[in-house]
Amino acid sequence: MSDISYDLDLTLIEGLRELLEDKFAELIETFKTDSARRIALIARAVPAQDLDVVSQEAHGLKGSCRNLGANSLAAICDQMEQDANAGDASQMEQLLTAIEQQFAAIAAVMDDLLEYPNSD
Amino acid sequence: MVTTVKNSALTVLIAEDSAPDRLILESIVKKSGHIPVVAADGAQAVQAFEKHLPDIVLLDVLMPVMGGVEAAKIIRGQTQDTIVPIIFLTSLSDDESLVECIEAGGDDFLTKPYNRVVLESKIKALTRVREMHKTMVRQKQTIELHNQHLIREQTVAKQLYDKIAHSGCLDLNIIKYYMSPQAVFNGDVLVAEVGPAGNMMILLGDFTGHGLPAAIGSMPLASTFYGMVRKGFSMLDILTEINSKLHDILPIGFFCCATCIDVNLDKRRLKVWSGGMPDSMLYKVSTNSYEIIKAKNLPLGVLSEKEFKCQEMRLPLEPCDRFFMWSDGIVEARNEDGEMFGDERLRRLLERRPGSPGLFDEIIGQVHNHIGTSDKDDDISVIELDVQHIPKRPAADETKKIQEGHLQDWAFSFYLATTSLEKYDPLPLIINLINDVPGLKERSSTLYTVLAELYANALEHGVLGLSSELKATPSGFAEFYDLKHARLSALDEGNIEIDLQHKLHPDGGELTIRILDSGAGFDFTAREAESKVETTSPGQSGDSLNFHGRGFDLLESICDRIVVHPPGNCVEVAFVWKRDDVL
């Protein structure tokens, strides 16, 4: 998974850690659970060509990603949402795969952040 | 940290369907010292809004069950009087959706990633708007209260004013008057009353300034006017009193322009006093032309009592003459282009059909035509007096009721020493007393004539020793009055005593008037002879020849008994009245 390139804004995440204090871990867990739930919904909707669900869940995931500094993942979600809104299902499979791969990489980094807080 | 913002802690409703985003907003709101209330969709948001009545609402645009736009519309529908700012949470970038958000009642947007500093600033800015709106609503309510209060006060003031100002004889059909509603509260005042001597006085006043302050001065003016006219004071006495009252109470720079007339058709004369008013016009039926009466005095309330000098004009008067007066509102009435109605136009109107009975209505009509719909200078007072004998008015029932329990059987003795004789006129005081007696009030005009005659005799013939022979010729008449003034001012000894006694009879009452003077008395038999001469040839007794004798004939015709006590310096008359007398 090391070959997956992603963009995670660590400064933003450190800001969130300061803001949420003891709830930071809950935030990370909630992000992971909620995102996993949305990705599962998208994974089911893509083969079924249910573009409404795809658009809705991609939109939700995009927002959360932006809030947690996962900018590259947010960009892919945005692409998926726009395609779904335009009724264009041609790229859905590839976009879904990219989302799944990026999410897995980001979730791992986030786990590390929880276990080993920034040494600064 | 939280404590410093505690007193401005707001309840913030957060409606966001993504759990992590919700958590971040909740944390920001808490850290900023506010109280978060969370909802995961639009329907929950509406419920939470009703339950918690938040100060600010954060709404995600795209939410399951109910979107933010719809929720915003419902929330706006419930907050008509108060401002609850709505901030839309969005990652939308297309303008159309932003417009939709604003139209649904949104006040601002917050985009992801959420930023604490940005959200806090937005909350602060919107709170300021909210406070401003609250202040505005509070001030609006205060203004509404003040306005209601003002209207109530004006209503009361108007009632008070109407009671005072319209208690006189303005309802007589020989007086035509028009006062626009605005004129009343811009300080125009019109009062008219009949005096005990059968004369009528009318005063039209125009106070400086506008609104209530201008109208307030009309109260003391009206009450002084009515009080004094009814007691028989002269026009100059009344104006002097009103002037000093207004001088005392009105602030500097406030005064009352006025025209006052005293009409006595019995004496065929009109007295006019005018200060600061436009010219008045007297239409003379004999010449079919107008006499213009200019204001020769300063307005009332300008000069102190000492400085106040009255210049009145005396004009002969005939029945069917017409007197016109107005305040400057009519001359200054403007049309839509700001052009004034003007003196010229008014004069032309008056000259076109001099003295026509329809003139009054024509003036009002023309002025209103001129003003048109501009409606800005509708401050008009016009009065026309048709010079006719004053119709008798039936005594109002309510005056009878008020008088119950007043004077019935009584006696009154009034002693006037030398110093009082020169300038003091005792008649108003006595008429005032008579007005307090049921049955006599309605006859006060007749009694005034009796008293005036008796007092004049006592003073002129008794105390001053003037001979009535002088009055036999017109030139002697003038000489008589010159002599009277000369002797009065040189008087160093003399007095007059007036005694009144009133007894109630089952069907009315009897008033005895006794006047005793310090003079040598007069030759009763000579008077009797003179009287006989007159009564035997009534057809020839023209006024000019018999001025001097008329007094006693008059007394005989009114009174039921006249006794002259020797040596002739004490005259006693009895006046019997019956309840059912036709007045």
Side-chain angles (χ1 to χ4, degrees):
Chain A
M1 280 203 276
S2 57
D3 58 331
I4 303 293
S5 73
Y6 61 87
D7 171 15
L8 188 61
D9 187 341
L10 291 174
T11 316
L12 189 145
I13 290 177
E14 285 312 309
L16 287 175
R17 193 203 295 275
E18 274 174 39
L19 177 73
L20 281 106
E21 297 174 10
D22 53 352
K23 282 202 168 175
F24 180 67
E26 187 189 332
L27 172 67
I28 299 299
E29 284 310 318
T30 310
F31 172 73
K32 289 196 312 189
T33 317
D34 192 62
S35 301
R37 181 182 62 85
R38 288 187 192 274
I39 291 167
L41 285 170
I42 294 168
R44 226 176 302 153
V46 168
Q49 302 260 328
D50 189 347
L51 296 185
D52 282 346
V53 172
V54 171
S55 165
Q56 197 178 304
E57 297 307 325
H59 174 82
L61 184 57
K62 175 185 73 178
S64 297
C65 287
R66 283 201 182 140
N67 270 333
L68 278 102
N71 296 330
S72 56
L73 181 50
I76 303 167
C77 291
D78 185 49
Q79 184 66 53
M80 181 181 261
E81 184 190 358
Q82 283 185 36
D83 283 5
N85 288 345
D88 176 10
S90 60
Q91 305 293 312
M92 286 301 162
E93 295 284 353
Q94 290 94 315
L95 289 169
L96 176 59
T97 307
I99 286 171
E100 283 171 334
Q101 288 176 344
Q102 287 231 353
F103 175 66
I106 287 164
V109 176
M110 283 182 173
D111 284 340
D112 285 349
L113 285 171
L114 278 183
E115 262 180 75
Y116 313 104
N118 200 332
S119 53
D120 289 346
Chain B
M1 285 296 113
V2 176
T3 49
T4 56
V5 282
K6 207 169 189 177
N7 55 359
S8 63
L10 306 171
T11 302
V12 181
L13 172 61
I14 300 160
E16 161 71 80
D17 72 316
S18 284
D21 301 18
R22 205 159 56 226
L23 199 56
I24 293 170
L25 283 176
E26 218 180 322
S27 299
I28 295 176
V29 168
K30 264 190 203 162
K31 272 259 162 112
S32 306
H34 304 301
I35 304 144
V37 173
V38 293
D41 61 51
Q44 277 185 25
V46 172
Q47 278 179 359
F49 182 86
E50 287 166 359
K51 191 177 167 193
H52 297 280
L53 296 172
D55 302 299
I56 289 186
V57 178
L58 310 180
L59 271 184
D60 192 2
V61 183
L62 294 174
M63 286 186 289
V65 187
M66 185 193 287
V69 173
E70 200 184 329
K73 282 180 186 162
I74 295 171
I75 287 170
R76 273 284 167 264
Q78 294 177 349
T79 56
Q80 312 234 305
D81 287 341
T82 50
I83 272 199
V84 178
I86 295 175
I87 300 174
F88 275 107
L89 307 169
T90 179
S91 48
L92 296 172
S93 43
D94 56 319
D95 296 343
E96 210 172 303
S97 300
L98 296 182
V99 169
E100 199 190 351
C101 290
I102 292 295
E103 276 173 359
D107 298 291
D108 206 345
F109 299 95
L110 185 68
T111 51
K112 296 170 190 185
Y114 296 145
N115 180 297
R116 182 180 165 182
V117 177
V118 173
L119 181 57
E120 275 179 3
S121 315
K122 285 184 192 288
I123 288 176
K124 263 186 204 151
L126 289 171
T127 303
R128 264 204 299 275
V129 173
R130 189 180 145 83
E131 288 306 317
M132 251 152 58
H133 183 261
K134 267 191 199 163
T135 309
M136 199 186 74
V137 168
R138 213 169 34 237
Q139 287 174 344
K140 185 170 160 257
Q141 286 167 346
T142 310
I143 290 167
E144 271 168 11
L145 274 175
H146 280 309
N147 194 39
Q148 283 170 8
H149 187 69
L150 192 72
I151 287 169
R152 258 203 315 277
E153 280 187 341
Q154 283 190 346
T155 312
V156 173
K158 180 79 168 65
Q159 285 169 352
L160 207 71
Y161 174 84
D162 285 348
K163 251 187 201 155
I164 294 174
H166 297 154
S167 67
C169 67
L170 280 175
D171 53 337
L172 289 179
N173 58 11
I174 56 172
I175 303 173
K176 274 190 195 166
Y177 67 97
Y178 173 84
M179 290 180 96
S180 61
Q182 238 168 302
V184 174
F185 270 107
N186 278 333
D188 279 13
V189 60
L190 174 65
V191 283
E193 184 58 304
V194 177
N199 60 326
M200 176 165 62
M201 287 196 216
I202 305 176
L203 188 152
L204 173 66
D206 178 4
F207 281 86
T208 44
H210 293 280
L212 215 47
I216 273 170
S218 56
M219 304 278 180
L221 182 147
S223 58
T224 308
F225 178 86
Y226 286 125
M228 291 181 79
V229 174
R230 282 170 198 152
K231 287 169 200 164
F233 282 98
S234 73
M235 185 168 83
L236 293 189
D237 282 347
I238 295 168
L239 290 170
T240 306
E241 178 64 21
I242 291 173
N243 176 71
S244 44
K245 229 173 216 163
L246 294 182
H247 180 74
D248 289 348
I249 61 170
L250 292 181
I252 301 251
F254 283 79
F255 48 79
C256 180
C257 299
T259 300
C260 186
I261 59 171
D262 180 359
V263 182
N264 194 326
L265 198 52
D266 289 338
K267 293 186 182 167
R268 308 258 151 143
R269 65 110 181 96
L270 170 73
K271 286 199 272 185
V272 187
W273 181 96
S274 190
M277 287 288 259
D279 298 350
S280 318
M281 313 279 266
L282 175 66
Y283 169 73
K284 301 289 299 171
V285 76
S286 54
T287 58
N288 193 32
S289 64
Y290 295 96
E291 198 149 335
I292 296 164
I293 299 141
K294 292 197 176 298
K296 288 187 174 164
N297 301 273
L298 283 170
L300 297 171
V302 175
L303 299 171
S304 69
E305 193 172 352
K306 271 185 185 170
E307 298 165 315
F308 186 74
K309 280 190 210 87
C310 271
Q311 266 203 300
E312 59 178 18
M313 242 178 112
R314 280 162 181 268
L315 299 157
L317 204 63
E318 296 298 323
C320 299
D321 285 354
R322 284 166 190 275
F323 185 82
F324 295 90
M325 59 180 164
W326 41 75
S327 61
D328 58 10
I330 190 167
V331 181
E332 290 169 7
R334 285 165 200 277
N335 65 12
E336 275 159 24
D337 302 327
E339 187 197 344
M340 295 205 285
F341 189 75
D343 213 31
E344 229 1 79
R345 217 183 298 248
L346 191 58
R347 290 280 164 91
R348 275 207 306 276
L349 193 58
L350 286 160
E351 293 295 349
R352 203 158 60 203
R353 284 187 290 141
S356 138
L359 204 50
F360 178 83
D361 295 326
E362 210 177 329
I363 295 173
I364 307 293
Q366 293 276 333
V367 172
H368 279 291
N369 278 349
H370 179 77
I371 296 172
T373 52
S374 75
D375 209 29
K376 53 191 168 187
D377 285 311
D378 189 15
D379 195 356
I380 294 159
S381 301
V382 189
I383 289 89
E384 182 205 57
L385 173 70
D386 180 10
V387 179
Q388 301 287 351
H389 284 281
I390 298 158
K392 287 258 158 57
R393 286 184 299 169
D397 283 346
E398 56 184 319
T399 54
K400 277 184 184 156
K401 267 182 233 155
I402 292 163
Q403 283 165 356
E404 271 171 29
H406 276 217
L407 283 171
Q408 297 191 332
D409 293 326
W410 53 275
F412 172 80
S413 186
F414 191 36
Y415 178 82
L416 290 145
T418 319
T419 46
S420 296
L421 290 178
E422 192 186 338
K423 278 189 176 153
Y424 183 74
D425 178 4
L427 297 184
L429 176 77
I430 295 167
I431 288 298
N432 197 21
L433 184 70
I434 281 169
N435 276 339
D436 250 1
V437 184
L440 288 186
K441 184 188 165 107
E442 294 87 337
R443 295 158 177 88
S444 68
S445 174
T446 309
L447 285 167
Y448 183 90
T449 312
V450 173
L451 280 160
E453 191 55 39
L454 288 172
Y455 184 74
N457 282 342
L459 182 67
E460 292 163 1
H461 306 311
V463 175
L464 301 176
L466 294 160
S467 164
S468 61
E469 299 300 321
L470 268 175
K471 289 201 272 182
T473 63
S475 63
F477 212 100
E479 192 188 332
F480 179 87
Y481 278 103
D482 286 346
L483 211 56
K484 178 186 168 182
H485 283 293
R487 290 201 188 170
L488 254 184
S489 45
L491 187 69
D492 44 35
E493 216 183 354
N495 59 64
I496 293 176
E497 191 183 315
I498 304 166
D499 296 305
L500 302 178
Q501 196 182 1
H502 187 250
K503 273 188 182 145
L504 216 55
H505 290 175
D507 57 346
E510 180 176 340
L511 178 74
T512 310
I513 305 167
R514 189 171 148 270
I515 295 202
L516 173 70
D517 64 68
S518 61
F522 78 108
D523 191 347
F524 178 64
T525 50
R527 189 209 69 79
E528 209 172 32
E530 191 184 80
S531 167
K532 266 181 193 148
V533 170
E534 278 180 29
T535 47
T536 47
S537 55
Q540 294 161 11
S541 59
D543 273 344
S544 58
L545 285 172
N546 291 311
F547 271 149
H548 54 297
R550 192 173 63 159
F552 258 84
D553 294 339
L554 194 73
L555 292 182
E556 275 168 349
S557 73
I558 295 170
C559 300
D560 296 80
R561 190 173 71 243
I562 304 178
V563 181
V564 182
H565 294 284
N569 64 341
C570 177
V571 181
E572 191 178 303
V573 303
F575 177 78
V576 177
W577 60 273
K578 291 198 165 50
R579 252 180 255 284
D580 300 326
D581 273 358
V582 181
L583 293 174

